Amino acid sequence: TGETDAAGADAVADAMGDLPLALAQAAAFMNRPMRKGRITFTAYLERYRANRSSVFSDASRPVSYPSTVETTWLMAMQEIGERHPEAEGLLFFMSVLAPEAVPWPVLEMLTHEDVVGRSDIETMEEIETCLEALSAYALVEWTSDGFVVHRLVQAVVIDQMTEEEVHTWREAALKVLNHLWPAEYSDTATWALSDKLLTHALHVASESDRDDEAALTASLLNAIAKYLYARGTYDDAVPLFVRAPRIQVF
């Protein structure tokens, strides 16, 4: 972080339980540009302890991730919400997808209000700015295939969202994936895109459990099933046709 306070660094590491994920998040938080300079180890610990008390007071907190990790990410999310509200929306959207690389076409769809029914982000430049902000807080990671939100980050984010917020962003994901999924499922030239969307489509469809998401989920399941059938993976395709609320005939 550029800090030379060895004792302060040790104190932060001890508070994090030396967990790599928590330490990486703490370093990202302290390294972000601030109007009055970077935050000190002491100041970070004060914020961390204040936030940690609220984490421990929540009896409904999932036990699938350590409280130290949750606390550091909650601090980052609070900052993002205050300083970059559009980036918070992007993080919500990416958290309802699979914990895999999100390809650019999926993110680009967020700029199409006619598809997602929202106008939070209007240009790709805004998306890039949001991703830079999220990366600066170590909430997303860039890979050669796209941006990834760690599954633990997703768990923390979804835990902080209301039921209606989860529905809103899952519905947006269903709309985006339905719009992007190639209609010519037997055209081998479209298979590369379908492959990139497949994990996210299966994940979102599997999490969809509301009646007002049924039509979008059915449409997506049938599209996936047709693609898998065209590729000859019949054992994977048939259960999706069976599960879809509305079965479409070839």
Side-chain angles (χ1 to χ4, degrees):
T1 66
E3 286 278 322
T4 57
D5 179 6
D10 286 342
V12 170
D14 287 344
M16 303 295 108
D18 289 317
L19 288 171
L21 283 171
L23 290 172
Q25 175 52 232
F29 191 100
M30 287 186 282
N31 270 327
R32 78 206 192 289
M34 295 286 286
R35 189 169 42 127
K36 297 181 180 180
R38 290 188 173 91
I39 190 171
T40 64
F41 289 123
T42 301
Y44 181 82
L45 271 176
E46 288 176 355
R47 291 196 188 188
Y48 171 81
R49 286 165 179 155
N51 280 274
R52 192 172 186 225
S53 64
S54 65
V55 167
F56 280 127
S57 67
D58 184 1
S60 65
R61 180 178 65 83
V63 296
S64 57
Y65 46 85
S67 60
T68 50
V69 174
E70 181 183 7
T71 305
T72 56
W73 278 327
L74 280 176
M75 292 169 62
M77 287 169 58
Q78 289 169 2
E79 288 273 315
I80 286 289
E82 294 171 3
R83 295 160 61 98
H84 308 281
E86 296 86 3
E88 181 181 53
L90 180 59
L91 182 62
F92 286 175
F93 174 75
M94 296 175 72
S95 293
V96 302
L97 297 172
E100 306 287 343
V102 180
W104 277 110
V106 173
L107 298 177
E108 185 178 6
M109 277 297 103
L110 291 178
T111 66
H112 294 258
E113 184 179 359
D114 57 324
V115 175
V116 296
R118 304 175 62 92
S119 59
D120 306 73
I121 301 175
E122 298 180 351
T123 66
M124 282 303 295
E125 288 75 15
E126 290 181 46
I127 287 180
E128 291 173 358
T129 299
C130 291
L131 289 170
E132 288 174 2
L134 294 173
S135 296
Y137 286 83
L139 291 168
V140 301
E141 179 184 359
W142 164 252
T143 72
S144 59
D145 296 320
F147 282 89
V148 179
V149 179
H150 194 284
R151 67 179 65 250
L152 292 182
V153 174
Q154 289 183 323
V156 173
V157 171
I158 291 176
D159 185 44
Q160 297 303 308
M161 295 165 68
T162 66
E163 181 180 345
E164 202 55 37
E165 284 174 330
V166 173
H167 161 64
T168 295
W169 289 106
R170 185 186 296 131
E171 184 179 49
L174 286 166
K175 289 178 178 178
V176 166
L177 292 165
N178 269 294
H179 184 84
L180 284 176
W181 199 275
E184 298 299 325
Y185 52 86
S186 59
D187 181 357
T188 57
T190 68
W191 288 1
L193 175 58
S194 297
D195 279 343
K196 291 181 179 179
L197 301 177
L198 182 59
T199 304
H200 295 294
L202 289 171
H203 177 81
V204 175
S206 70
E207 294 294 319
S208 177
D209 58 359
R210 288 177 48 142
D211 291 342
D212 49 1
E213 296 171 359
L216 287 168
T217 303
S219 174
L220 187 58
L221 285 172
N222 277 294
I224 298 169
K226 289 179 179 180
Y227 160 70
L228 294 174
Y229 196 93
R231 297 206 65 160
T233 54
Y234 309 121
D235 290 344
D236 293 329
V238 171
L240 298 181
F241 280 124
V242 172
R243 183 185 158 211
R246 297 186 180 91
I247 305 300
Q248 296 179 359
V249 181
F250 288 175

